Amino acid sequence: MEPQITPNTFCTYTGSSNDFDTTIFFISGNPGLIGYYHPFLSLLAQNLAGDENENENENEAPSFQIYGCSLGGFQTLSPDEKRSASKQKQNQKQHLYSLEDQIGFVHGNLVALMRGNSDITSTGIDKGDSSSTSNSADVPRSVSTKRRKVIIIGHSVGAYIAMEILRRHREGVSMQSSNPEPDLDFDISATFDIIGAVMLFPTVKDIAHSPSGQKLTTLLSILPHFAIIVSFLARILTFILPSATLKSTIRFVMKNPPPHALDTTFEFLKSTGGVKQALHMAADEMRTITSDKWTDDVWGVAHTQEPLTRLFFYFGRNDHWVAEKTRDEIIALRGRSGSGNGDHDVGEWSGPKMSVCEEGLPHAFCLKHNDIMAQKVGRMIRDIVL
């Protein structure tokens, strides 16, 4: 896949695009526009590329593909696509993605991306961008014998999606290993390992108990059609206000955000169904993200079947989307036991490494705190791969 930074896709490499060791697959929070994370992912790439530049032996330094795309229903349309969508509007109802739909969408993108990467390994040639959709029918299907490695980064609800993808991946690999005649359409999961995952400000349990979750739950109980009402009002506002005035309003409400956040929010509000999609998905999160539903093997506990996925959880303090009690319960029940001294012996890996931010970083770190977050995540990735 060619390096690119677009409103819907981010892809870059710390080395050659035809010769990299590990794919870092990023999953955004809600609203799921990858534009909010362009600076973070770019800074993360620079951070990891610095390791290669400092290493005298280039063969010893890991190289990475860093990839992310917008969640389903949040994609920004080109002018031609907007006109086409407007013509189809009368005959086609907008599809709203539930949380379950998003999990399937993201998993499909990961599978398609890795199928394309397997083709690069096999031929040494990138045959095109096959990862912009979960439909992988046109993706090259040659499969390399070299096993690819993947590290997932999930932010907010993206962490929940990441945990579900870990579960489905492990189940898929297990099914393929017991199937004497694997189907190529599904066998791609058996060609790569998810070796690690980094969960940032993760909303993986009891999101409705958080301060913002409680407020949203109350609003939904009073106004069952809250998403429709707010999206309608947003459409009126964006129709009435000139673009310059709308941007000034966004700048005021968001307290002077950086250009990437201002532009992405502007496109989000101007989109046909972005606001409705975000609120529809948020309401489904309140219903779905409740108790811990994953087994020890998904959590990366050492006594389960190999290979393990090394997990890092980075929680905020006073996070309005994660209740303090919920965070402390997760750390107590699932946090890594032992000294946590960074040993790389898989036999000593006994659950996720969990930490709580002491620098006061906000849940929406991608607005103004990308530099420090990229440094932190870079250290976590090094701990996974080295």
Coordinates of all heavy atoms in Angstrom, one line a residue, residues 207-286:
I207 N -19.2 1.5 30.6 CA -19.0 2.9 30.2 C -20.2 3.8 30.7 O -20.0 5.0 30.9 CB -18.9 3.0 28.6 CG1 -18.6 4.4 28.2 CG2 -20.2 2.5 27.9 CD1 -18.2 4.6 26.7
A208 N -21.4 3.2 30.9 CA -22.5 4.0 31.3 C -22.4 4.5 32.7 O -23.1 5.4 33.2 CB -23.8 3.2 31.2
H209 N -21.4 3.9 33.5 CA -21.2 4.4 34.9 C -20.2 5.6 34.9 O -20.0 6.1 36.0 CB -20.6 3.2 35.7 CG -21.5 2.1 35.9 ND1 -21.1 0.9 36.5 CD2 -22.8 1.9 35.5 CE1 -22.2 0.1 36.5 NE2 -23.2 0.7 35.9
S210 N -19.6 5.9 33.8 CA -18.7 7.1 33.8 C -19.5 8.4 33.9 O -20.7 8.4 33.6 CB -17.9 7.1 32.5 OG -18.8 7.3 31.4
P211 N -18.9 9.5 34.3 CA -19.6 10.8 34.4 C -20.4 11.1 33.1 O -21.5 11.5 33.1 CB -18.5 11.8 34.7 CG -17.5 11.0 35.4 CD -17.5 9.6 34.8
S212 N -19.7 11.1 31.9 CA -20.3 11.4 30.7 C -21.3 10.3 30.3 O -22.4 10.6 29.6 CB -19.3 11.6 29.6 OG -18.5 12.8 29.8
G213 N -21.0 9.1 30.6 CA -21.9 8.0 30.3 C -23.3 8.1 31.0 O -24.3 7.9 30.5
Q214 N -23.2 8.6 32.3 CA -24.4 8.8 33.1 C -25.3 9.9 32.5 O -26.5 9.8 32.4 CB -24.0 9.1 34.5 CG -23.4 7.9 35.3 CD -23.1 8.3 36.7 OE1 -23.7 9.2 37.3 NE2 -22.0 7.7 37.2
K215 N -24.6 11.0 32.0 CA -25.3 12.1 31.4 C -26.0 11.6 30.1 O -27.2 12.0 29.9 CB -24.4 13.2 31.2 CG -23.8 13.9 32.4 CD -22.8 15.0 32.1 CE -22.2 15.6 33.3 NZ -21.1 16.6 33.0
L216 N -25.2 10.9 29.3 CA -25.8 10.5 28.0 C -27.0 9.5 28.2 O -28.0 9.6 27.6 CB -24.7 9.8 27.2 CG -25.2 9.3 25.8 CD1 -25.8 10.5 25.0 CD2 -24.0 8.7 25.0
T217 N -26.8 8.6 29.2 CA -27.9 7.6 29.5 C -29.2 8.4 29.9 O -30.3 8.0 29.5 CB -27.4 6.6 30.6 OG1 -26.2 6.0 30.1 CG2 -28.5 5.6 30.8
T218 N -29.0 9.4 30.7 CA -30.1 10.2 31.2 C -30.8 10.9 30.0 O -32.1 10.9 29.9 CB -29.7 11.2 32.2 OG1 -29.1 10.5 33.4 CG2 -30.9 12.0 32.7
L219 N -30.0 11.5 29.1 CA -30.6 12.2 28.0 C -31.3 11.2 27.1 O -32.4 11.5 26.6 CB -29.5 12.8 27.2 CG -29.0 14.2 27.7 CD1 -27.7 14.6 26.9 CD2 -30.1 15.2 27.6
L220 N -30.8 10.0 26.9 CA -31.4 9.0 26.0 C -32.7 8.5 26.6 O -33.7 8.1 25.9 CB -30.5 7.8 25.8 CG -29.2 8.1 24.9 CD1 -28.3 7.0 25.0 CD2 -29.7 8.4 23.5
S221 N -32.8 8.4 28.0 CA -34.0 8.0 28.6 C -35.1 9.1 28.5 O -36.3 8.8 28.4 CB -33.8 7.7 30.1 OG -33.4 8.8 30.8
I222 N -34.7 10.3 28.5 CA -35.7 11.4 28.4 C -36.1 11.7 26.9 O -37.2 11.9 26.6 CB -35.1 12.7 29.0 CG1 -34.8 12.6 30.5 CG2 -36.0 13.9 28.7 CD1 -34.1 13.7 31.1
L223 N -35.1 11.6 26.0 CA -35.3 11.8 24.6 C -34.8 10.6 23.8 O -33.6 10.5 23.4 CB -34.5 13.1 24.1 CG -34.9 14.4 24.8 CD1 -33.9 15.5 24.4 CD2 -36.3 14.8 24.4
P224 N -35.7 9.6 23.6 CA -35.3 8.4 22.9 C -34.7 8.7 21.5 O -33.9 7.9 21.0 CB -36.6 7.6 22.8 CG -37.4 8.1 24.0 CD -37.1 9.6 24.1
H225 N -35.1 9.7 20.9 CA -34.7 10.1 19.5 C -33.6 11.2 19.6 O -33.6 12.1 18.7 CB -35.9 10.5 18.7 CG -36.9 9.4 18.5 ND1 -36.7 8.3 17.9 CD2 -38.2 9.4 19.1 CE1 -37.8 7.5 17.9 NE2 -38.7 8.2 18.7
F226 N -32.8 11.2 20.6 CA -31.8 12.2 20.8 C -30.9 12.4 19.6 O -30.6 13.5 19.2 CB -31.0 11.9 22.1 CG -29.9 12.9 22.4 CD1 -30.2 14.1 22.8 CD2 -28.6 12.5 22.4 CE1 -29.2 15.1 23.1 CE2 -27.6 13.4 22.7 CZ -27.9 14.7 23.1
A227 N -30.4 11.2 19.1 CA -29.5 11.3 17.9 C -30.1 12.0 16.7 O -29.5 12.8 16.0 CB -29.0 9.9 17.6
I228 N -31.4 11.7 16.5 CA -32.1 12.3 15.3 C -32.3 13.8 15.5 O -32.0 14.6 14.6 CB -33.5 11.6 15.1 CG1 -33.3 10.1 14.8 CG2 -34.2 12.3 14.0 CD1 -34.6 9.3 14.7
I229 N -32.6 14.2 16.8 CA -32.9 15.6 17.1 C -31.6 16.4 16.9 O -31.6 17.4 16.3 CB -33.5 15.7 18.5 CG1 -34.8 15.1 18.5 CG2 -33.6 17.2 18.9 CD1 -35.4 15.0 20.0
V230 N -30.5 15.9 17.5 CA -29.3 16.7 17.5 C -28.7 16.7 16.1 O -28.2 17.8 15.7 CB -28.2 16.0 18.5 CG1 -26.9 16.7 18.3 CG2 -28.7 16.1 19.9
S231 N -28.8 15.6 15.4 CA -28.2 15.6 14.0 C -29.0 16.6 13.1 O -28.5 17.3 12.2 CB -28.2 14.2 13.4 OG -29.6 13.7 13.3
F232 N -30.4 16.6 13.3 CA -31.2 17.6 12.6 C -30.8 19.0 12.9 O -30.7 19.9 12.0 CB -32.7 17.3 12.9 CG -33.6 18.3 12.2 CD1 -33.8 18.2 10.9 CD2 -34.3 19.2 13.0 CE1 -34.7 19.1 10.2 CE2 -35.2 20.1 12.3 CZ -35.4 20.0 11.0
L233 N -30.6 19.3 14.2 CA -30.2 20.7 14.6 C -28.8 21.0 14.0 O -28.6 22.2 13.6 CB -30.2 20.8 16.1 CG -31.6 20.7 16.8 CD1 -31.4 20.7 18.3 CD2 -32.5 21.8 16.3
A234 N -28.0 20.0 14.0 CA -26.6 20.3 13.4 C -26.7 20.6 11.9 O -26.0 21.5 11.4 CB -25.7 19.1 13.7
R235 N -27.6 19.9 11.2 CA -27.7 20.1 9.8 C -28.3 21.5 9.5 O -27.8 22.2 8.6 CB -28.7 19.1 9.2 CG -28.1 17.7 9.2 CD -27.0 17.5 8.2 NE -27.4 17.7 6.8 CZ -26.6 17.8 5.8 NH1 -25.3 18.0 6.0 NH2 -27.1 17.9 4.5
I236 N -29.2 22.0 10.3 CA -29.8 23.3 10.2 C -28.7 24.3 10.4 O -28.5 25.3 9.7 CB -31.0 23.5 11.2 CG1 -32.1 22.6 10.7 CG2 -31.4 25.0 11.2 CD1 -33.3 22.7 11.7
L237 N -27.9 24.1 11.5 CA -26.8 25.1 11.9 C -25.8 25.2 10.8 O -25.4 26.3 10.4 CB -26.2 24.6 13.2 CG -25.1 25.5 13.8 CD1 -25.7 26.8 14.2 CD2 -24.4 24.8 14.9
T238 N -25.4 24.1 10.2 CA -24.3 24.1 9.2 C -24.9 24.6 7.9 O -24.1 25.1 7.0 CB -23.8 22.7 8.9 OG1 -24.8 21.8 8.6 CG2 -23.1 22.2 10.2
F239 N -26.2 24.5 7.7 CA -26.8 25.1 6.5 C -27.0 26.6 6.5 O -26.7 27.3 5.6 CB -28.2 24.4 6.2 CG -28.9 24.9 5.0 CD1 -28.5 24.5 3.7 CD2 -29.9 25.9 5.1 CE1 -29.2 24.9 2.6 CE2 -30.6 26.3 4.0 CZ -30.2 25.9 2.7
I240 N -27.3 27.1 7.7 CA -27.5 28.5 7.9 C -26.2 29.3 8.0 O -26.1 30.4 7.4 CB -28.4 28.8 9.2 CG1 -29.8 28.2 9.0 CG2 -28.4 30.2 9.5 CD1 -30.6 28.3 10.3
L241 N -25.3 28.8 8.8 CA -24.0 29.5 9.0 C -23.1 29.4 7.8 O -22.8 28.3 7.3 CB -23.3 29.0 10.3 CG -24.1 29.2 11.6 CD1 -23.2 28.6 12.7 CD2 -24.4 30.7 11.9
P242 N -22.5 30.5 7.4 CA -21.4 30.5 6.4 C -20.2 29.7 7.0 O -20.1 29.6 8.2 CB -21.0 31.9 6.2 CG -22.2 32.7 6.7 CD -22.8 31.9 7.8
S243 N -19.4 29.1 6.1 CA -18.3 28.3 6.6 C -17.4 29.0 7.5 O -16.9 28.4 8.5 CB -17.5 27.8 5.3 OG -18.3 27.0 4.5
A244 N -17.1 30.3 7.2 CA -16.2 31.0 8.1 C -16.8 31.2 9.5 O -16.1 31.1 10.5 CB -15.9 32.4 7.5
T245 N -18.1 31.5 9.6 CA -18.8 31.6 10.9 C -18.8 30.3 11.6 O -18.6 30.3 12.8 CB -20.2 32.2 10.7 OG1 -20.1 33.4 9.9 CG2 -20.8 32.4 12.0
L246 N -19.1 29.2 10.9 CA -19.1 27.9 11.5 C -17.8 27.5 12.1 O -17.7 27.0 13.2 CB -19.6 26.8 10.5 CG -19.6 25.4 11.0 CD1 -20.6 25.3 12.2 CD2 -20.0 24.5 9.9
K247 N -16.7 27.8 11.4 CA -15.4 27.5 11.9 C -15.0 28.4 13.1 O -14.4 27.9 14.0 CB -14.3 27.8 10.8 CG -14.2 26.6 9.8 CD -13.0 26.7 9.0 CE -12.8 25.4 8.1 NZ -11.5 25.4 7.4
S248 N -15.5 29.6 13.1 CA -15.3 30.5 14.3 C -16.0 29.9 15.5 O -15.5 30.0 16.6 CB -15.7 31.9 14.0 OG -14.9 32.5 12.9
T249 N -17.2 29.4 15.2 CA -18.0 28.8 16.3 C -17.3 27.6 16.9 O -17.2 27.4 18.1 CB -19.4 28.5 15.8 OG1 -20.1 29.7 15.3 CG2 -20.3 27.9 17.0
I250 N -16.8 26.8 16.0 CA -16.1 25.6 16.4 C -14.9 25.9 17.2 O -14.6 25.4 18.3 CB -15.7 24.7 15.2 CG1 -17.0 24.2 14.5 CG2 -14.8 23.5 15.6 CD1 -16.7 23.5 13.1
R251 N -14.2 26.9 16.7 CA -13.0 27.4 17.4 C -13.3 27.9 18.8 O -12.5 27.6 19.8 CB -12.3 28.5 16.6 CG -10.9 28.9 17.1 CD -10.3 30.0 16.3 NE -9.9 29.5 15.0 CZ -10.5 29.8 13.8 NH1 -11.6 30.7 13.8 NH2 -10.1 29.4 12.7
F252 N -14.4 28.6 19.0 CA -14.8 29.1 20.3 C -15.2 28.0 21.2 O -14.8 27.9 22.4 CB -15.9 30.1 20.1 CG -16.5 30.6 21.4 CD1 -15.8 31.5 22.2 CD2 -17.7 30.1 21.9 CE1 -16.4 31.9 23.4 CE2 -18.2 30.5 23.1 CZ -17.6 31.4 23.9
V253 N -16.0 27.1 20.7 CA -16.5 26.0 21.6 C -15.4 25.0 22.0 O -15.4 24.5 23.1 CB -17.6 25.2 20.8 CG1 -18.0 23.9 21.6 CG2 -18.9 26.1 20.6
M254 N -14.5 24.7 21.1 CA -13.4 23.8 21.4 C -12.2 24.5 22.0 O -11.1 23.9 22.2 CB -13.0 23.1 20.1 CG -14.1 22.2 19.5 SD -13.5 21.3 18.0 CE -12.3 20.2 18.7
K255 N -12.3 25.8 22.3 CA -11.3 26.6 22.9 C -10.0 26.6 22.1 O -8.9 26.2 22.6 CB -11.0 26.0 24.3 CG -12.2 26.1 25.2 CD -11.9 25.5 26.6 CE -13.2 25.5 27.5 NZ -13.0 25.0 28.8
N256 N -10.1 27.1 20.9 CA -9.0 27.3 20.0 C -8.2 26.0 19.7 O -7.0 25.9 20.1 CB -8.1 28.4 20.5 CG -7.1 28.9 19.5 OD1 -7.5 28.9 18.3 ND2 -6.0 29.3 19.9
P257 N -8.8 25.0 19.1 CA -8.1 23.8 18.8 C -7.1 24.0 17.7 O -7.1 24.9 16.9 CB -9.3 22.9 18.3 CG -10.2 23.8 17.6 CD -10.2 25.1 18.5
P258 N -6.1 23.0 17.5 CA -5.2 23.1 16.5 C -5.8 22.9 15.1 O -7.0 22.4 15.0 CB -4.2 22.0 16.8 CG -5.0 21.0 17.6 CD -5.9 21.9 18.4
P259 N -5.2 23.3 14.0 CA -5.8 23.3 12.7 C -6.4 21.9 12.3 O -7.5 21.8 11.7 CB -4.7 23.7 11.7 CG -3.8 24.5 12.6 CD -3.8 23.9 14.0
H260 N -5.7 20.8 12.6 CA -6.2 19.5 12.2 C -7.5 19.2 12.9 O -8.4 18.6 12.2 CB -5.1 18.4 12.5 CG -5.1 17.9 13.9 ND1 -4.5 18.6 14.9 CD2 -5.7 16.8 14.5 CE1 -4.6 18.0 16.0 NE2 -5.3 16.9 15.8
A261 N -7.6 19.6 14.1 CA -8.9 19.3 14.9 C -10.0 20.2 14.4 O -11.2 19.8 14.3 CB -8.6 19.5 16.4
L262 N -9.7 21.4 14.1 CA -10.7 22.4 13.6 C -11.2 21.9 12.3 O -12.5 21.9 12.1 CB -10.1 23.8 13.5 CG -11.0 24.9 12.9 CD1 -12.2 25.1 13.7 CD2 -10.1 26.1 12.7
D263 N -10.3 21.6 11.3 CA -10.8 21.1 10.0 C -11.5 19.8 10.0 O -12.5 19.7 9.3 CB -9.5 21.0 9.1 CG -8.9 22.3 8.8 OD1 -9.5 23.4 9.0 OD2 -7.7 22.3 8.4
T264 N -11.1 18.9 10.9 CA -11.8 17.6 11.0 C -13.2 17.8 11.6 O -14.2 17.2 11.1 CB -11.0 16.6 11.8 OG1 -9.7 16.4 11.2 CG2 -11.7 15.3 11.9
T265 N -13.3 18.6 12.6 CA -14.6 18.8 13.2 C -15.5 19.5 12.2 O -16.7 19.2 12.2 CB -14.4 19.7 14.5 OG1 -13.6 19.0 15.4 CG2 -15.8 19.9 15.2
F266 N -15.0 20.5 11.5 CA -15.8 21.2 10.5 C -16.4 20.2 9.4 O -17.6 20.2 9.1 CB -14.9 22.2 9.8 CG -15.6 22.9 8.6 CD1 -16.5 24.0 8.9 CD2 -15.3 22.6 7.3 CE1 -17.1 24.6 7.8 CE2 -16.0 23.2 6.3 CZ -16.8 24.3 6.5
E267 N -15.5 19.3 8.9 CA -16.0 18.3 8.0 C -16.9 17.3 8.6 O -17.9 16.9 8.0 CB -14.8 17.5 7.4 CG -13.9 18.4 6.5 CD -14.6 18.9 5.3 OE1 -15.5 18.2 4.8 OE2 -14.2 20.0 4.8
F268 N -16.7 17.0 9.9 CA -17.6 16.1 10.6 C -19.0 16.7 10.7 O -20.0 16.0 10.4 CB -17.0 15.8 12.0 CG -18.0 15.2 13.0 CD1 -18.5 13.9 12.7 CD2 -18.3 15.7 14.2 CE1 -19.4 13.3 13.6 CE2 -19.1 15.1 15.1 CZ -19.7 13.9 14.8
L269 N -19.1 18.0 11.1 CA -20.4 18.6 11.2 C -21.1 18.8 9.9 O -22.3 18.8 9.8 CB -20.2 20.0 11.9 CG -19.8 19.9 13.4 CD1 -19.6 21.3 14.0 CD2 -20.9 19.2 14.2
K270 N -20.3 19.1 8.8 CA -20.9 19.3 7.5 C -21.3 18.0 6.8 O -22.0 18.1 5.8 CB -19.8 20.1 6.6 CG -19.5 21.5 7.1 CD -20.6 22.5 6.7 CE -20.6 22.8 5.2 NZ -21.5 23.8 4.8
S271 N -20.8 16.9 7.3 CA -21.1 15.6 6.6 C -22.6 15.3 6.7 O -23.3 15.8 7.6 CB -20.3 14.5 7.3 OG -20.7 14.3 8.6
T272 N -23.0 14.4 5.8 CA -24.5 14.1 5.7 C -25.0 13.4 7.0 O -26.1 13.8 7.5 CB -24.8 13.2 4.5 OG1 -24.3 13.9 3.3 CG2 -26.2 12.9 4.4
G273 N -24.3 12.5 7.5 CA -24.8 11.7 8.7 C -23.8 11.5 9.8 O -24.0 10.6 10.6
G274 N -22.7 12.2 9.8 CA -21.7 12.0 10.8 C -22.1 12.1 12.2 O -21.9 11.3 13.1
V275 N -22.9 13.2 12.5 CA -23.3 13.5 13.9 C -24.3 12.4 14.3 O -24.2 11.9 15.4 CB -24.0 14.9 14.0 CG1 -24.6 15.1 15.3 CG2 -22.9 16.0 13.7
K276 N -25.2 12.1 13.4 CA -26.2 11.0 13.7 C -25.5 9.7 14.0 O -25.9 8.9 14.9 CB -27.2 10.9 12.6 CG -28.4 10.0 12.9 CD -29.4 10.0 11.7 CE -30.6 9.1 12.0 NZ -31.5 9.1 10.8
Q277 N -24.5 9.4 13.1 CA -23.7 8.1 13.3 C -23.0 8.1 14.7 O -23.0 7.1 15.4 CB -22.7 8.0 12.2 CG -21.7 6.8 12.3 CD -22.4 5.5 12.4 OE1 -23.1 5.0 11.5 NE2 -22.2 4.8 13.6
A278 N -22.4 9.2 15.0 CA -21.7 9.3 16.3 C -22.6 9.0 17.5 O -22.3 8.3 18.4 CB -21.0 10.6 16.4
L279 N -23.8 9.7 17.5 CA -24.7 9.5 18.6 C -25.4 8.2 18.6 O -25.6 7.6 19.7 CB -25.7 10.7 18.6 CG -25.1 12.1 18.8 CD1 -26.2 13.2 18.5 CD2 -24.6 12.2 20.2
H280 N -25.7 7.7 17.4 CA -26.2 6.3 17.4 C -25.3 5.3 17.9 O -25.7 4.4 18.7 CB -26.5 6.0 15.9 CG -27.0 4.6 15.7 ND1 -28.3 4.2 15.9 CD2 -26.3 3.5 15.3 CE1 -28.4 2.9 15.6 NE2 -27.2 2.4 15.2
M281 N -24.0 5.4 17.6 CA -23.0 4.5 18.1 C -22.8 4.7 19.6 O -22.6 3.7 20.3 CB -21.7 4.7 17.3 CG -20.6 3.8 17.7 SD -19.1 4.1 16.7 CE -17.9 3.2 17.6
A282 N -22.8 5.9 20.0 CA -22.6 6.2 21.5 C -23.7 5.6 22.3 O -23.5 5.0 23.4 CB -22.5 7.7 21.7
A283 N -25.0 5.7 21.8 CA -26.1 5.0 22.5 C -25.9 3.5 22.6 O -26.2 2.9 23.6 CB -27.4 5.4 21.8
D284 N -25.4 2.9 21.5 CA -25.2 1.5 21.5 C -24.0 1.1 22.4 O -24.1 0.0 23.1 CB -24.9 1.0 20.1 CG -25.0 -0.5 19.9 OD1 -26.0 -1.1 20.5 OD2 -24.2 -1.1 19.2
E285 N -23.0 2.0 22.6 CA -22.0 1.7 23.5 C -22.5 1.6 24.9 O -22.0 0.8 25.7 CB -20.9 2.9 23.4 CG -20.1 2.9 22.1 CD -19.3 4.1 22.0 OE1 -18.8 4.6 23.1 OE2 -19.1 4.7 20.9
M286 N -23.4 2.5 25.3 CA -24.0 2.5 26.6 C -24.7 1.1 26.9 O -24.6 0.6 28.1 CB -25.0 3.6 26.8 CG -24.5 5.0 26.6 SD -23.1 5.5 27.7 CE -21.8 5.6 26.5

